[in-house]
Every structure is written in C-alpha cells, then in structure tokens.
Amino acid sequence: MTGLAFDIAHLLGALVLTLSFALLYQRRLSAAINVVAMQAAVLAAAAAWQAVTRDAGHLFVTAAIALIFKAIAVPLLLHWLIRRLNISTTVEAAFGVTLTMGLGVGVSTLSILLVLPLTAGETLLLREDLAFALAVALIGPLLMIARRNAVIQVVGFMSMENGLILAAVGVKGMPLVVEASVAFSVMVATFIFGVFFFHIRERFDSLDVSRLEEMQGERHS
Amino acid sequence: MMVQLVVLGVPAGAALLLAFITSWRLAAWLNVAASSVTFVASLTLFVAERPAPGGLLLVDDFNIYLIALTAFVALTTAIFSATYITHEVRRRRLTPRLLRFYHAMYQAFIWSMLMALSADNLGLMWVAVEAATLSTALMVSLYRTPSAIEAAWKYFILCGVGIALALFGTMLMYLAAQPVLGDGMGSITWSALLAQAARFNPALLNVAFVFLLVGYGTKVGLAPFHAWLPDAHAEGPTPISAVLSGLLLNVALYAVLRFKMLLAANPQALAPGPLMIGMGLLSLSLASLMLYRRRDIKRLFAYSSIEHMGIAAFAFGMGGPLANFAGLMHMTMHSLVKAAIFFTVGHVSQAKGTQRIADIRGLTVSHPLLGWALVAGVVAIAGLPPFGVFTSEFLVVSSTFARQPLLAVPLVVGLLVGFGALMLRLHHLAFGAPSPGPATARTGALRLSLIPVWLHLALALIAGIYLPAPLVAWFQAVARLLG
C-alpha cells in the first residue's frame, strides 16, 4: 500500500472514532442523529477506499449499504419519528458529559492496549483500524447506558455497528462482510419499529385508558 | 445434503406460506404439519449420508442430536400452541392478524435455530443466531401490553449488544486463522479451523473466545448478562417461553461450545474451562437465590432456566468425558422438562386468568390434571429421582467431587437452595385449599393438549431410569469430541 493510500485509510478510520466521541457530548436528539449519519458516511468512504486500494469489489456493496441505508435513510426516518411522535428533543443523561467522555477515553485506551500487542504480526493499518473499531464498538454501548432514551439507544447501536463494520472492512479477505452489514441493517430497522411501539406506549400512558380500549376495538373488528 | 436441505427448507417455506394464511385455525394446523415434517426429516439425518465437512453446512455427532431435539420440541410446542391460541383468541387477547404474524415468525424462528445448529461456517452461524434474536423479540412483544413491549425492548438492546460482541469475536477468530488457512471462506469454516487450530496465534484465540463467551453467553442467559431472560419469558406468549427456554438457550450454549472446542485444540491457548465454571457457578447461585422472591409463575421458571444453564455451563467448563456427558444430558433433560412445565403453566395461567403466584393455590384440588402435571414437572426440574435431571445433576456433582472437591461445595449449595425454593412454591401452588378462579369446562380439550406434557415428562423419566446402551455410547462419543 502506497504512502498516500495508507494515510487516507488511516485518516478515515480515525475520523470514525472521533465522531464516536462527538456523539458522547450531544445533548439534542437531532444532533446525535446527524453525527451518527456523518459517521456512517465516513465509514462508507473508508469501505469504498479499501475496495479501491485492495481491489475488493464486494466492499463497494458494504459502502453503498452504509451510505444509503445508514447515512441517509435511517437518519431521515429517525428525524421523522421524532417529529411524528413529539419526542422531546433534549436527552436525559444518566451521567454527566465529563464522566461519559472520561469513560470514552478509558475505553479507547483499553482497546489500543488490547489490540496492538495482540496483532503484532499484522500490517500497521489493520492493527490501528482494529483498535479504532473496538473503541467505537465499545463507546456505542457506553452511550446506550449513559442516556435514557430509546432513540439514543438506537443511535448507540448504529454507532457500535459502524465500528464492527469498520473492523470487518479492514480485515483482509474477511468473508461475509456484506451479509453481516445486511443483517445489522435489518436489526436496526426492527429496532426503529421498536421505538415506534415504545413511544406509542408512552403516549398511552399520558392519555386516559379509554384510548387504549378504542384501539383494541379497532383491532378486533 | 438433501436431508439437510429438507430440514432447513421446510421451516423456511412454511414461514413464507404462513405469512399469507389468514385463517388462524388452518395456520395452527399447518404449523403442526410443517413441524412434523421437519421432525421426521431430522430423524432421517441419523441414517442419511453426511456431507463432506468444509462447506456451509455440517453434520456431526454433536449437532445431529441437538437438531433432532430442537425439531422434536418445536413439534410438541406447535401442538401445545394450537390449543393455547384457541383460548387466547376466545379471551380476545390475540387477533387473527397478530396470529398470522405469530405463526410465520414461529417457523422463521425454528428455521434460524436449525440453521445455527447445522452451520459449519461461523459467519452463517452468527447470522442465524441474530435472526433468532430478531424473530423472538418480535414474538415477545406480541401481546402489545406496555410490559411486553418493554421486555422486548430490553431483550433487543441486551442481545443486540451481545450479538455485536460475538461478531467481533468471530472476526478475531478469522484473524487468528487467516495466516494459516489463507483468505476467504476457509478461514471461517469451523471444521477447517478445528483441524489447524493448534497452529493459530494463541493470544488472538484467547481474546476472541472472551468476546464470543460474553456475546453468545448473553443469549445463554449466563449471569451477569441474564437481565433480559426473565422479562422475555414472562411477558411473551407461553409457547414462546417454552421454545426460548427449551431450545434457544441450548443453541447459544452450543455456539459457545463450538468455540470452546477450537480453543481446546490449541495447547497454548488459555483453558476456557475456568471462565465457564465461573459464569456457570455465578448463574446457578444468583438464580437459585432469586427463585425465592418471584411473584410471577413464568418468571419463577425463567429463573430456574438461568439456574440450569449455569449447571450445564459449569459441567462443560469442568470438561472431561464424564462432566461433558453430564452437561449434554442436562441440556437435553432441561429442554424436555422445562418445555413441559411451560406448557402446563400456560394452561394454569389460562385456567386461573392470572400469572401471579399468590393468586394460584391448590391446583391439585381444583384442576387435578393440571395440578399433578405441574407437580410432576417441578419434581423433575428440581432434580429429584427418578427423573433424568437427577441423573445429570448427580453426574455433575459426583464428577466435581472426584476432581475438584472445593468447587463442589458452591455447586451443591446452589442446587439445594434452588431445590428449596421450587419445593416451597410448588407446595403453595399445588396443594391446600384452592383459590377462587373462573370455572373451566374444557377437560376434554385439556386432556388432549396435555399429551405433549406427559410425552416430555415420560421421556425424562425413561432417561432417568434407563438410558439405552446405544444412546449412552452416543453421548460418550460426543463427550469425547468436546474434549
């Protein structure tokens, strides 16, 4: 791999991790959705770059899925959901930004300390990509724990998935990358249906029960 | 190869077909018919020629018996489900539209489990386990009550994270295999990995296994990743609780064991045993203590599932021919008995109109058939002779005493604590003056629908009294395979 090709791949990998950190301090739902969409777009670029430099055509499919589904379709759907369900736009945090960021730094350090010695025989790019990917994949659940909000949990899961796809793209000759990203996409789609139902329920809670019975009446007819 | 395609193709085709059947009565019987075909096909696997390893699918001594067990419990659950949903429709808790969805998902779920069991390709196995997570999460939320949706959400989030970690572990496993086996599918095919595992980088294998144990272990319901399990069991329809407990947990444990075999083939890698022993003991102790505080009858038996999965994980962690034998037998017995218990509990909660333990008393007086079925089931699951669970637990305990007497102490304490809790609850549920409840006049239908219960319990009883010699030889061969 030439110097420039390596630098670009490296830059894209690092950008994915940086955007994970950007997710950790978002206080507004829509901003968080935009950041994860950006992360997916960068991931798509990283996958496409790998496809070009390694001459691996199937990675273009992964890139296309990341771009169309995760960077465009799902964020639009989430924005629509927020408007449609009148979800409040600020996020209730289980713990503060400083602590969350601190934990994020700790998790990243841990991933680097774990992955770099482990993969001593591999290429430098793969080793760093894997370390970044593991950090991203662990920051995702951290976000899901730190914020009490169903939409943010979907965002955290998507970010976690971005990390895993980044790792899969970086590993040379890894089979089933496309299948894995499709499987994840289906899962995210189902998650979003979950949010939909989840919030319908919260709306029911705030209304009187007659509304619920009315709904059942509809279903039975 | 043909037979395998039938085993996998029938549930997949049935799932598609059932998505278009509007009559739920017809769908229920088609569900039973498809499950019967799958079960018969799975039995012919034993005599059919096995495909050469190295492709996408694999048949060996280990998974063939789990495939047959899965197909069997899927069939009996389909029979139970047919009577269960009739009652639910009458009580207007389920609508024909939801039932169409339910039947299609049921077959899709069976397909994904059979796929996970027969996959030789570890990526395919991962996709199948993920599909199983999706289909069950959708079924857990079937009643659309707030608590059901919350249970499904929790299940989604926890198992989603678990599944993602398992994928990372699978990738690390590929990375370990790639220098030896080269790029592409070969490096992710289990049978090829096993042949060459001794030459893999042990450090990578170790880390991969930790991710896989946490990832798939979440789906086994091992503590401390068990939080989704009781909710998912309690809030979903009872047939789903039966297949979750009886089958899905086994499939996830099977995945962990496949990876454990890879580690065992590499002499320099970390011994996976202690990790599994630790998680097993933790699950056993935690679950058996939690059994005392349960107020919901389905939640009670869900905790009992965590306990038994802990025992099985402990047995496999101990390793060696005897403990592995005990672990395999325990998985089988737990599937049969726990599914039978959930069938009974499903009828009990329908007959009493509640799942609250406090509101269910004196079942043997008010509903003798159900009451005594529940007594038999709980006696079996608590590990009393002459049922098969006693045999497997006895083997686990005795082999532990012989090799690591200190480990046997927490094991026996956990078993006894769990036993006490179940007996306490059973006494309350089954005996004494019956609690008031709606009168039932459907003994005829009930007798019919209890056939799966008695069938399962009879098998567990036979296994406890007399294991046929070919079966013993079979289990021993698999136990050796597991190392």
Side-chain angles (χ1 to χ4, degrees):
Chain A
M1 195 175 271
T2 62
L4 181 68
F6 170 81
D7 285 343
I8 292 180
H10 197 177
L11 176 73
L12 291 172
L15 214 57
V16 172
L17 179 59
T18 317
L19 286 169
S20 254
F21 274 98
L23 264 185
L24 283 182
Y25 62 78
Q26 300 306 324
R27 288 178 181 284
R28 292 169 57 84
L29 266 188
S30 50
I33 294 170
N34 290 340
V35 172
V36 87
M38 235 146 72
Q39 194 181 38
V42 175
L43 174 73
W49 186 248
Q50 293 277 356
V52 173
T53 53
R54 285 215 322 255
D55 205 22
H58 66 283
L59 291 184
F60 277 121
V61 183
T62 315
I65 293 175
L67 188 68
I68 297 169
F69 186 75
K70 286 191 293 190
I72 300 171
V74 169
L76 283 179
L77 189 64
L78 285 177
H79 280 304
W80 175 79
L81 258 186
I82 290 176
R83 274 200 311 275
R84 171 78 199 280
L85 298 179
N86 274 329
I87 299 170
S88 87
T89 51
T90 47
V91 181
E92 186 196 342
F95 33 94
V97 167
T98 326
L99 180 60
T100 322
M101 291 295 269
L103 285 174
V105 172
V107 159
S108 310
T109 319
L110 216 87
S111 334
I112 291 170
L113 287 180
L114 178 73
V115 172
L116 289 189
L118 198 64
T119 51
E122 306 287 343
T123 62
L124 185 61
L125 178 66
L126 171 61
R127 297 172 66 193
E128 300 209 329
D129 256 5
L130 263 187
F132 291 158
L134 181 59
V136 172
L138 292 178
I139 289 177
L142 175 65
L143 185 73
M144 289 157 92
I145 297 166
R147 305 281 179 271
R148 292 205 183 103
N149 180 301
V151 175
I152 283 287
Q153 286 179 338
V154 175
V155 168
F157 186 79
M158 280 174 72
S159 159
M160 184 178 189
E161 178 205 335
N162 285 344
L164 288 172
I165 301 293
L166 179 70
V169 162
V171 178
K172 191 163 152 281
M174 170 93 189
L176 294 169
V177 179
V178 179
E179 286 78 356
S181 52
V182 170
F184 267 130
S185 306
V186 174
M187 192 136 188
V188 168
T190 325
F191 262 125
I192 292 171
F193 275 112
V195 178
F196 192 71
F197 285 122
F198 195 62
H199 277 272
I200 280 178
R201 173 231 144 182
E202 282 187 355
R203 288 173 77 205
F204 276 146
D205 280 355
S206 58
L207 293 166
D208 59 344
V209 194
S210 60
R211 175 77 196 275
L212 216 150
E213 281 165 1
E214 199 181 296
M215 181 79 177
Q216 272 189 346
E218 268 170 31
R219 280 213 222 110
H220 283 294
S221 58
Chain B
M1 195 67 198
M2 261 320 283
V3 181
Q4 265 192 310
L5 290 183
V6 173
V7 169
L8 294 171
V10 169
L16 280 179
L17 177 70
L18 287 170
F20 294 101
I21 304 281
T22 40
S23 154
W24 61 268
R25 282 174 215 275
L26 178 65
W29 288 113
L30 277 177
N31 195 21
V32 174
S35 306
S36 323
V37 176
T38 314
F39 176 55
V40 172
S42 77
L43 286 184
T44 57
L45 274 179
F46 284 92
V47 289
E49 199 183 330
R50 294 179 184 184
L56 285 177
L57 301 178
L58 166 84
V59 178
D60 67 359
D61 282 349
F62 183 22
N63 69 3
I64 197 170
Y65 106 93
L66 277 173
I67 291 175
L69 179 69
T70 302
F72 175 69
V73 178
L75 169 62
T76 49
T77 308
I79 298 172
F80 162 69
S81 154
T83 54
Y84 177 84
I85 57 172
T86 312
H87 193 265
E88 293 296 281
V89 171
R90 205 172 295 148
R91 265 169 63 194
R92 312 193 100 215
R93 285 187 74 189
L94 288 174
T95 61
R97 246 186 73 195
L98 281 177
L99 280 173
R100 200 166 102 191
F101 178 74
Y102 163 83
H103 282 120
M105 275 300 150
Y106 184 82
Q107 287 294 332
F109 172 54
I110 301 304
W111 169 82
S112 60
M113 281 193 301
L114 290 171
M115 188 55 137
L117 288 173
S118 33
D120 193 8
N121 185 301
L122 296 175
L124 188 65
M125 182 159 127
W126 178 84
V127 172
V129 174
E130 199 243 7
T133 310
L134 271 183
S135 49
T136 39
L138 292 174
M139 285 196 288
V140 165
S141 65
L142 194 71
Y143 285 134
R144 301 281 186 266
T145 57
S147 45
I149 286 164
E150 210 167 298
W153 185 251
K154 203 165 164 186
Y155 178 44
F156 246 156
I157 293 285
L158 279 169
C159 286
V161 171
I163 280 290
L165 292 178
L167 180 65
F168 196 77
T170 309
M171 272 192 272
L172 289 178
M173 196 53 95
Y174 170 81
L175 214 59
Q178 191 216 17
V180 180
L181 289 165
D183 290 355
M185 286 295 200
S187 302
I188 207 167
T189 303
W190 181 83
S191 46
L193 291 179
L194 185 68
Q196 298 291 339
R199 293 162 61 202
F200 295 169
N201 175 355
L204 265 177
L205 274 182
N206 293 346
V207 179
F209 183 73
V210 172
F211 275 98
L212 290 158
L213 181 64
V214 172
Y216 287 126
T218 308
K219 275 207 84 81
V220 184
L222 290 178
F225 313 109
H226 64 282
W228 62 274
L229 196 145
D231 288 6
H233 280 66
E235 304 303 338
T238 312
I240 299 312
S241 318
V243 279
L244 271 180
S245 242
L247 301 178
L248 185 67
L249 306 185
N250 276 358
V251 171
L253 188 58
Y254 163 86
V256 173
L257 289 177
R258 282 284 183 205
F259 288 103
K260 178 179 178 270
M261 287 161 86
L262 290 181
L263 252 78
N266 187 319
Q268 284 151 333
L270 148 132
L275 278 174
M276 292 184 70
I277 289 177
M279 281 173 86
L281 272 184
L282 187 65
S283 314
L284 167 65
S285 336
L286 206 73
S288 49
L289 283 174
M290 302 276 237
L291 279 175
Y292 282 91
R293 298 291 299 273
R294 293 311 108 199
R295 294 194 194 89
D296 181 301
I297 186 165
K298 279 165 84 177
R299 226 167 259 267
L300 175 78
F301 291 112
Y303 273 98
S304 151
S305 290
I306 301 177
E307 180 199 344
H308 285 280
M309 281 297 132
I311 297 170
F314 177 89
F316 289 121
M318 287 298 294
L322 194 58
N324 279 338
F325 180 98
L328 287 169
M329 191 173 164
H330 199 73
M331 271 166 91
T332 317
M333 291 303 125
H334 175 252
S335 284
L336 292 173
V337 174
K338 190 52 70 66
I341 289 181
F342 273 116
F343 298 162
T344 321
V345 166
H347 285 306
V348 168
S349 60
Q350 284 183 336
K352 287 287 182 186
T354 176
Q355 286 180 206
R356 273 171 52 88
I357 291 176
D359 296 341
I360 307 173
R361 262 178 291 117
L363 275 174
T364 48
V365 181
S366 60
H367 302 76
L369 271 177
L370 277 178
W372 288 108
L374 187 70
V375 171
V378 175
V379 162
I381 206 70
L384 278 178
F387 288 98
V389 179
F390 169 75
T391 318
S392 55
E393 284 182 358
F394 180 77
L395 282 174
V396 177
V397 171
S398 60
S399 68
T400 312
F401 259 120
R403 289 163 55 199
Q404 300 278 347
L406 274 181
L407 278 178
V409 176
L411 177 70
V412 172
V413 170
L415 284 174
L416 288 178
V417 170
F419 175 82
L422 282 175
M423 285 301 132
L424 202 68
R425 289 284 168 265
L426 178 67
H427 184 257
H428 172 92
L429 287 167
F431 304 106
S435 58
T440 44
R442 48 193 283 269
T443 339
L446 188 66
R447 226 170 249 144
L448 198 71
S449 67
L450 280 178
I451 289 175
V453 177
W454 294 118
L455 190 60
H456 280 201
L457 290 177
L459 284 174
L461 183 67
I462 293 169
I465 296 170
Y466 169 70
L467 267 182
L471 206 62
V472 174
W474 179 275
F475 270 146
Q476 277 169 343
V478 183
R480 268 197 303 279
L481 205 68
L482 283 169

